[in-house]
Amino acid sequence: MPKEFECLQCGLCCLGIGEIVRMDSQISQYEFVVKNEVVSEQRNAVITPEYRELFDSDKSIQEEHRAACFFVRKRADGKFVCTIHPYRLFICKDYGCCTARIYKDGKEVGRIKNKFSLVTKDDVLREIWLENVQKTDNSTQKHVDDVLKSHGYSGVFYGSD
């Protein structure tokens, strides 16, 4: 049975979305108008109190990753946080986060969310996944990679076991 998705706070969702999710204007020190540039969704967002010090003191993510969201920060423990999480745009709420992408013949055909959840429209891949991953309780990256390769698929994994 697939496990429920659990965010690993890896930051992948935020490090490349800065061209779409933008700070449109600043209302006060911690209040902004945030805009989705693709669909023109706008909303007011407030930096949550627990992240205000981090928001003020560390802008290194935006310096290292030019396409990073204006509101993402990296905590001391290495995990990424959205400083406006309760006010985030729909695109962020609906983001198709994944821990791996699966390819066949150079095209993306599936995504793995967390360790067990496969998202795909490829019926063959879905059956392979059910029989060789879900039913075996073996979700190590090596096992999944071996299964994919043995059936002509390849995987790009984000992170480690």
Side-chain angles (χ1 to χ4, degrees), residues 70-124:
F70 179 77
F71 300 102
V72 67
R73 297 294 187 273
K74 191 173 188 178
R75 296 186 327 203
D77 65 3
K79 294 189 177 206
F80 291 83
V81 295
C82 173
T83 59
I84 61 166
H85 193 266
Y87 307 96
R88 67 197 187 279
L89 295 169
F90 181 75
I91 190 173
C92 300
K93 291 177 183 177
D94 195 44
Y95 182 75
C97 182
C98 62
T99 54
R101 295 177 193 273
I102 301 171
Y103 295 89
K104 182 140 189 173
D105 301 325
K107 293 183 180 179
E108 184 179 321
V109 294
R111 293 181 182 189
I112 302 170
K113 292 185 175 193
N114 206 354
K115 288 193 173 231
F116 286 104
S117 299
L118 175 69
V119 177
T120 186
K121 292 181 179 177
D122 182 325
D123 292 332
V124 172

Coordinates of all heavy atoms in Angstrom, one line a residue, residues 70-124:
F70 N 11.5 34.1 -4.1 CA 12.0 35.2 -3.2 C 11.7 34.8 -1.7 O 12.4 35.3 -0.9 CB 11.1 36.5 -3.6 CG 11.4 37.7 -2.7 CD1 12.6 38.4 -2.9 CD2 10.5 38.1 -1.8 CE1 12.8 39.5 -2.2 CE2 10.7 39.2 -1.0 CZ 11.9 39.9 -1.2
F71 N 10.8 33.9 -1.5 CA 10.4 33.7 -0.1 C 11.0 32.4 0.5 O 10.7 32.1 1.7 CB 8.9 33.6 0.0 CG 8.2 34.9 -0.4 CD1 7.7 35.1 -1.7 CD2 8.2 36.0 0.4 CE1 7.1 36.3 -2.0 CE2 7.7 37.2 0.1 CZ 7.1 37.3 -1.2
V72 N 11.8 31.6 -0.2 CA 12.4 30.4 0.3 C 13.6 30.7 1.1 O 14.4 31.6 0.7 CB 12.7 29.4 -0.8 CG1 13.8 29.8 -1.7 CG2 13.0 28.0 -0.2
R73 N 13.8 30.0 2.2 CA 15.0 30.2 3.0 C 15.5 28.8 3.4 O 14.7 27.8 3.5 CB 14.8 31.0 4.2 CG 14.4 32.5 3.9 CD 15.6 33.2 3.3 NE 15.3 34.6 3.1 CZ 14.7 35.2 2.1 NH1 14.2 34.4 1.1 NH2 14.5 36.5 2.0
K74 N 16.8 28.7 3.8 CA 17.4 27.4 4.2 C 17.7 27.5 5.7 O 18.4 28.4 6.1 CB 18.6 27.1 3.4 CG 19.1 25.7 3.7 CD 20.3 25.4 2.7 CE 20.7 24.0 2.7 NZ 21.8 23.7 1.8
R75 N 17.1 26.6 6.5 CA 17.3 26.6 7.9 C 18.7 26.0 8.2 O 19.3 25.4 7.4 CB 16.3 25.7 8.6 CG 14.9 26.3 8.5 CD 13.9 25.5 9.3 NE 14.1 24.1 9.4 CZ 13.2 23.2 9.7 NH1 12.0 23.5 9.9 NH2 13.6 21.9 9.8
A76 N 19.1 26.2 9.5 CA 20.4 25.7 9.9 C 20.6 24.2 9.8 O 21.7 23.7 9.6 CB 20.7 26.1 11.4
D77 N 19.4 23.5 9.8 CA 19.5 22.0 9.7 C 19.5 21.6 8.3 O 19.5 20.4 8.0 CB 18.3 21.4 10.5 CG 17.0 21.7 9.9 OD1 16.9 22.4 8.8 OD2 16.0 21.2 10.4
G78 N 19.6 22.5 7.3 CA 19.7 22.2 5.9 C 18.3 22.0 5.2 O 18.3 21.9 4.0
K79 N 17.2 22.1 5.9 CA 15.9 22.0 5.3 C 15.5 23.3 4.8 O 15.8 24.4 5.4 CB 14.9 21.4 6.3 CG 15.3 19.9 6.6 CD 14.2 19.3 7.4 CE 14.7 17.8 7.6 NZ 13.6 16.9 7.8
F80 N 14.7 23.3 3.7 CA 14.2 24.5 3.1 C 12.8 24.8 3.7 O 12.0 23.9 3.9 CB 14.2 24.4 1.6 CG 15.5 24.4 1.0 CD1 16.2 23.2 0.9 CD2 16.1 25.5 0.5 CE1 17.5 23.1 0.4 CE2 17.3 25.5 -0.1 CZ 18.0 24.3 -0.2
V81 N 12.5 26.1 3.8 CA 11.2 26.5 4.3 C 10.6 27.6 3.4 O 11.3 28.5 2.9 CB 11.2 26.9 5.8 CG1 11.5 25.8 6.7 CG2 12.1 28.1 6.0
C82 N 9.3 27.6 3.3 CA 8.6 28.7 2.7 C 8.2 29.7 3.8 O 7.4 29.3 4.7 CB 7.3 28.2 2.0 SG 6.3 29.5 1.3
T83 N 8.7 30.9 3.7 CA 8.4 31.9 4.8 C 7.0 32.4 4.7 O 6.6 33.1 5.7 CB 9.5 33.0 4.8 OG1 9.4 33.6 3.5 CG2 10.9 32.5 5.0
I84 N 6.3 32.1 3.7 CA 4.9 32.6 3.5 C 3.9 31.4 3.4 O 2.9 31.5 2.8 CB 4.7 33.6 2.4 CG1 5.1 32.9 1.0 CG2 5.5 34.9 2.6 CD1 4.6 33.7 -0.2
H85 N 4.3 30.3 3.9 CA 3.6 29.0 3.6 C 2.1 29.1 3.8 O 1.3 28.7 2.9 CB 4.2 27.9 4.5 CG 3.7 26.5 4.1 ND1 2.6 25.9 4.7 CD2 4.2 25.7 3.1 CE1 2.5 24.7 4.1 NE2 3.4 24.6 3.2
P86 N 1.5 29.7 4.8 CA 0.1 29.8 5.0 C -0.6 30.7 3.9 O -1.8 30.6 3.6 CB -0.2 30.4 6.3 CG 1.1 30.3 7.1 CD 2.2 30.2 6.0
Y87 N 0.2 31.5 3.2 CA -0.4 32.4 2.2 C 0.1 32.1 0.8 O -0.2 32.9 -0.1 CB 0.1 33.8 2.5 CG -0.2 34.3 3.9 CD1 0.8 34.1 4.9 CD2 -1.4 34.8 4.3 CE1 0.5 34.5 6.2 CE2 -1.7 35.1 5.6 CZ -0.7 35.0 6.6 OH -1.0 35.4 7.9
R88 N 0.7 30.9 0.6 CA 1.3 30.6 -0.7 C 0.2 30.5 -1.8 O -1.0 30.3 -1.5 CB 2.1 29.3 -0.6 CG 1.2 28.1 -0.4 CD 2.1 26.9 0.1 NE 1.4 25.7 0.2 CZ 0.7 25.3 1.2 NH1 0.5 26.2 2.2 NH2 0.1 24.2 1.3
L89 N 0.6 30.7 -3.0 CA -0.2 30.7 -4.2 C -0.7 29.2 -4.5 O -0.1 28.3 -4.1 CB 0.5 31.2 -5.4 CG 0.9 32.7 -5.3 CD1 1.8 33.1 -6.5 CD2 -0.4 33.6 -5.3
F90 N -1.8 29.1 -5.3 CA -2.3 27.8 -5.7 C -1.2 27.0 -6.4 O -1.2 25.8 -6.1 CB -3.5 28.0 -6.6 CG -4.1 26.6 -6.9 CD1 -4.9 25.9 -6.0 CD2 -3.9 26.1 -8.2 CE1 -5.4 24.7 -6.3 CE2 -4.4 24.9 -8.5 CZ -5.2 24.1 -7.6
I91 N -0.4 27.5 -7.2 CA 0.6 26.8 -7.9 C 1.5 26.1 -6.9 O 2.0 25.0 -7.2 CB 1.4 27.6 -8.9 CG1 2.3 26.8 -9.8 CG2 2.2 28.7 -8.2 CD1 3.0 27.5 -10.9
C92 N 1.8 26.7 -5.8 CA 2.7 26.1 -4.8 C 1.9 25.0 -4.0 O 2.5 24.0 -3.7 CB 3.1 27.2 -3.8 SG 4.1 28.5 -4.6
K93 N 0.7 25.3 -3.7 CA -0.1 24.3 -3.0 C -0.3 23.0 -3.9 O -0.4 21.9 -3.4 CB -1.5 24.8 -2.7 CG -1.5 25.9 -1.7 CD -2.9 26.4 -1.4 CE -2.8 27.6 -0.4 NZ -4.1 28.2 -0.2
D94 N -0.3 23.2 -5.2 CA -0.6 22.0 -6.1 C 0.6 21.5 -6.8 O 0.5 20.7 -7.6 CB -1.6 22.5 -7.2 CG -2.2 21.4 -7.9 OD1 -2.6 20.4 -7.3 OD2 -2.3 21.5 -9.2
Y95 N 1.8 21.9 -6.3 CA 3.0 21.5 -7.0 C 3.2 20.0 -7.0 O 3.0 19.3 -6.0 CB 4.2 22.2 -6.3 CG 5.6 21.9 -6.9 CD1 5.9 22.5 -8.1 CD2 6.4 20.9 -6.4 CE1 7.1 22.1 -8.7 CE2 7.6 20.6 -7.0 CZ 7.9 21.2 -8.1 OH 9.1 20.9 -8.8
G96 N 3.6 19.5 -8.1 CA 3.8 18.0 -8.3 C 5.2 17.6 -7.8 O 6.0 17.2 -8.6
C97 N 5.5 17.8 -6.5 CA 6.7 17.4 -5.9 C 7.1 16.0 -6.2 O 6.2 15.1 -6.2 CB 6.7 17.7 -4.4 SG 8.3 17.4 -3.6
C98 N 8.3 15.7 -6.4 CA 8.7 14.3 -6.6 C 10.1 14.1 -6.1 O 10.9 15.0 -5.9 CB 8.6 13.9 -8.0 SG 9.7 14.8 -9.1
T99 N 10.4 12.8 -5.7 CA 11.8 12.4 -5.3 C 12.5 11.8 -6.5 O 13.7 11.5 -6.3 CB 11.7 11.5 -4.1 OG1 10.9 10.4 -4.4 CG2 11.2 12.2 -2.9
A100 N 11.8 11.5 -7.6 CA 12.5 10.9 -8.7 C 11.6 11.1 -10.0 O 10.3 11.2 -9.8 CB 12.8 9.4 -8.6
R101 N 12.2 11.2 -11.1 CA 11.5 11.3 -12.4 C 11.8 10.0 -13.2 O 13.0 9.6 -13.2 CB 11.8 12.5 -13.1 CG 11.3 13.8 -12.4 CD 11.8 15.0 -13.2 NE 11.6 16.2 -12.4 CZ 10.5 16.9 -12.3 NH1 9.4 16.5 -13.0 NH2 10.4 17.9 -11.5
I102 N 10.9 9.4 -13.9 CA 11.1 8.2 -14.6 C 11.0 8.5 -16.1 O 10.0 9.2 -16.5 CB 10.1 7.1 -14.2 CG1 10.3 6.8 -12.7 CG2 10.3 5.9 -15.0 CD1 9.2 5.9 -12.2
Y103 N 11.9 8.0 -16.9 CA 12.0 8.3 -18.3 C 11.9 7.0 -19.2 O 12.5 6.0 -18.7 CB 13.2 9.1 -18.7 CG 13.3 10.5 -18.1 CD1 13.8 10.7 -16.8 CD2 12.7 11.6 -18.7 CE1 13.8 11.9 -16.2 CE2 12.7 12.8 -18.1 CZ 13.3 13.0 -16.9 OH 13.3 14.2 -16.3
K104 N 11.4 7.1 -20.3 CA 11.4 6.0 -21.3 C 11.6 6.7 -22.7 O 10.8 7.6 -23.0 CB 10.2 5.2 -21.3 CG 10.3 4.0 -22.3 CD 9.7 2.8 -21.8 CE 10.1 1.6 -22.7 NZ 9.7 0.4 -22.2
D105 N 12.6 6.3 -23.4 CA 12.9 6.8 -24.7 C 13.0 8.4 -24.7 O 12.5 9.1 -25.6 CB 11.8 6.4 -25.8 CG 11.6 4.9 -25.9 OD1 12.7 4.3 -25.8 OD2 10.5 4.5 -26.1
G106 N 13.6 8.9 -23.6 CA 13.9 10.3 -23.5 C 12.8 11.2 -23.0 O 12.9 12.4 -22.9
K107 N 11.6 10.6 -22.8 CA 10.4 11.3 -22.3 C 10.1 11.0 -20.9 O 10.1 9.8 -20.5 CB 9.2 11.0 -23.2 CG 9.4 11.5 -24.6 CD 8.1 11.3 -25.4 CE 8.3 11.8 -26.9 NZ 7.1 11.5 -27.7
E108 N 9.7 12.0 -20.1 CA 9.3 11.7 -18.8 C 7.9 11.0 -18.8 O 7.0 11.5 -19.4 CB 9.1 13.0 -18.0 CG 8.7 12.8 -16.5 CD 8.6 14.1 -15.7 OE1 9.4 15.0 -15.9 OE2 7.7 14.1 -14.9
V109 N 7.8 9.9 -18.1 CA 6.6 9.1 -18.1 C 6.1 8.8 -16.7 O 5.0 8.2 -16.6 CB 6.8 7.7 -18.8 CG1 7.1 7.9 -20.3 CG2 7.9 6.9 -18.1
G110 N 6.8 9.3 -15.7 CA 6.3 9.1 -14.3 C 7.1 9.9 -13.3 O 8.3 10.3 -13.6
R111 N 6.6 10.0 -12.2 CA 7.3 10.6 -11.0 C 7.0 9.8 -9.8 O 6.0 9.2 -9.6 CB 6.7 12.0 -10.7 CG 7.0 13.0 -11.8 CD 6.4 14.3 -11.5 NE 6.7 15.3 -12.6 CZ 6.5 16.6 -12.5 NH1 6.0 17.1 -11.4 NH2 6.8 17.3 -13.5
I112 N 8.0 9.7 -8.9 CA 7.9 9.1 -7.6 C 7.8 10.2 -6.6 O 8.7 11.0 -6.5 CB 9.1 8.2 -7.4 CG1 9.3 7.1 -8.4 CG2 8.9 7.5 -6.0 CD1 10.6 6.3 -8.4
K113 N 6.7 10.1 -5.8 CA 6.6 11.0 -4.7 C 6.9 10.3 -3.4 O 6.5 9.2 -3.2 CB 5.1 11.5 -4.6 CG 4.7 12.4 -5.8 CD 3.3 13.0 -5.5 CE 3.0 13.9 -6.6 NZ 1.8 14.7 -6.3
N114 N 7.8 10.9 -2.6 CA 8.3 10.3 -1.4 C 9.0 9.0 -1.9 O 9.8 9.0 -2.8 CB 7.2 10.0 -0.4 CG 7.8 10.0 1.0 OD1 9.0 10.0 1.2 ND2 6.9 9.9 2.0
K115 N 8.7 7.8 -1.3 CA 9.4 6.6 -1.7 C 8.5 5.7 -2.5 O 8.9 4.9 -3.3 CB 10.0 5.9 -0.5 CG 11.2 6.6 0.0 CD 12.0 5.8 1.0 CE 13.2 6.4 1.4 NZ 14.4 5.5 1.2
F116 N 7.2 5.7 -2.2 CA 6.3 4.6 -2.7 C 5.3 5.1 -3.7 O 4.7 4.3 -4.4 CB 5.5 3.9 -1.6 CG 6.4 3.0 -0.8 CD1 6.8 3.4 0.5 CD2 6.7 1.8 -1.2 CE1 7.5 2.5 1.3 CE2 7.5 0.9 -0.5 CZ 7.9 1.3 0.8
S117 N 5.0 6.4 -3.8 CA 3.9 6.9 -4.6 C 4.3 7.1 -6.0 O 5.1 8.0 -6.3 CB 3.3 8.1 -4.0 OG 2.8 7.9 -2.7
L118 N 3.8 6.4 -7.0 CA 4.1 6.6 -8.4 C 2.9 7.3 -9.0 O 1.8 7.0 -8.8 CB 4.2 5.2 -9.1 CG 4.4 5.3 -10.6 CD1 5.7 5.8 -11.0 CD2 4.2 3.9 -11.2
V119 N 3.3 8.3 -9.8 CA 2.3 9.1 -10.6 C 2.7 8.9 -12.0 O 3.8 9.3 -12.5 CB 2.3 10.6 -10.2 CG1 1.4 11.4 -11.1 CG2 2.0 10.8 -8.7
T120 N 1.8 8.3 -12.8 CA 2.1 8.0 -14.2 C 0.8 7.8 -15.0 O -0.2 7.4 -14.4 CB 3.0 6.8 -14.4 OG1 3.4 6.7 -15.7 CG2 2.4 5.5 -13.9
K121 N 0.8 8.0 -16.3 CA -0.3 7.6 -17.2 C 0.1 6.3 -18.0 O -0.6 5.9 -18.8 CB -0.6 8.7 -18.1 CG -1.2 9.9 -17.4 CD -1.6 11.0 -18.3 CE -2.2 12.2 -17.6 NZ -2.5 13.3 -18.4
D122 N 1.4 5.9 -17.7 CA 1.9 4.7 -18.4 C 1.4 3.4 -17.7 O 1.9 3.1 -16.6 CB 3.5 4.8 -18.4 CG 4.2 3.7 -19.1 OD1 3.7 2.5 -19.1 OD2 5.2 4.0 -19.7
D123 N 0.5 2.7 -18.3 CA -0.1 1.5 -17.7 C 0.9 0.4 -17.5 O 0.9 -0.3 -16.5 CB -1.3 1.0 -18.5 CG -2.5 2.0 -18.5 OD1 -2.6 2.7 -17.5 OD2 -3.2 2.0 -19.5
V124 N 1.9 0.3 -18.4 CA 2.9 -0.7 -18.2 C 3.8 -0.4 -17.0 O 4.1 -1.3 -16.2 CB 3.8 -0.9 -19.5 CG1 5.0 -1.8 -19.3 CG2 2.9 -1.3 -20.7

